[in-house]
Amino acid sequence: PIFKFKSLRYQIIFYIVLASSLTTAFFTVISFYIDFQEEQGLMEQSLNQIKQANLNNIALSVWEFNTEAMETQMDGIISIADVVEVKVLNQKGEVIESENKAHEKPLWLVYHKLPLETIAEGKKESVGHLEIWMTLDNMYFRLGVKIGRAHV
């Protein structure tokens, strides 16, 4: 035994409380892990949404030098909650267009670099790339709220 108890009753109570605490901790960790995976999935969905809805249009805008259409696409991307900065760069790495949420100063960032390609004369042409910075701050905040609720 871990401790010497005066009676069997105290020993049983101690082990019941210990088992209950360990079980609660185990299920809390499992729940947090599942919540974390769901949050990461939501960020991945946002990135996939950008790839499907915006990437080809931005590539075409770069190819055609259509800055108005490019700005419209970038406005849509920057409006996504976790996106804090977006840049379109040409093949030389020069910034063509950039938007950010200057008022936000995130602590945790994830960087994504996506190729911009278009079809010209029947073959795929690289026209540059799209850089996206997404914050993890919102995800960590939501997870913190869930942890706080779990302990109330």
Side-chain angles (χ1 to χ4, degrees):
I2 298 172
F3 300 105
K4 284 201 165 198
F5 296 99
K6 293 181 181 181
S7 73
L8 182 60
R9 178 177 55 191
Y10 291 126
Q11 188 175 2
I12 291 172
I13 290 171
F14 172 78
Y15 284 115
I16 289 172
V17 170
L18 179 64
S20 174
S21 297
L22 290 175
T23 302
T24 301
F26 174 76
F27 285 113
T28 300
V29 168
I30 296 296
S31 176
F32 180 75
Y33 176 77
I34 291 169
D35 290 342
F36 182 77
Q37 293 297 321
E38 287 174 1
E39 288 289 339
Q40 281 190 320
L42 292 174
M43 287 196 75
E44 195 63 34
Q45 281 180 342
S46 294
L47 189 61
N48 288 335
Q49 176 187 348
I50 292 167
K51 288 177 184 177
Q52 291 174 357
N54 303 97
L55 213 52
N56 290 335
N57 293 330
I58 292 174
L60 187 60
S61 298
V62 171
W63 182 259
E64 296 175 346
F65 302 105
N66 186 343
T67 55
E68 186 177 318
M70 190 184 323
E71 288 173 4
T72 301
Q73 293 294 319
M74 300 222 4
D75 286 342
I77 294 171
I78 202 72
S79 70
I80 296 171
D82 292 328
V83 174
V84 292
E85 187 169 358
V86 182
K87 289 182 183 179
V88 175
L89 291 89
N90 62 19
Q91 290 175 310
K92 297 176 185 176
E94 301 165 334
V95 176
I96 299 172
E97 188 68 37
S98 177
E99 288 202 31
N100 64 51
K101 296 176 182 169
H103 62 279
E104 291 190 23
K105 302 291 183 213
L107 296 173
W108 304 97
L109 287 173
V110 177
Y111 170 77
H112 300 279
K113 184 176 180 179
L114 306 173
L116 293 173
E117 299 172 332
T118 191
I119 305 293
E121 298 174 9
K123 63 180 187 175
K124 201 179 269 192
E125 293 283 336
S126 174
V127 295
H129 62 271
L130 180 70
E131 293 182 344
I132 302 170
W133 285 266
M134 298 176 84
T135 180
L136 297 175
D137 293 359
N138 299 329
M139 179 179 82
Y140 290 142
F141 175 77
R142 289 186 297 267
L143 289 171
V145 168
K146 288 179 183 180
I147 289 172
R149 273 195 236 134
H151 289 96
V152 174

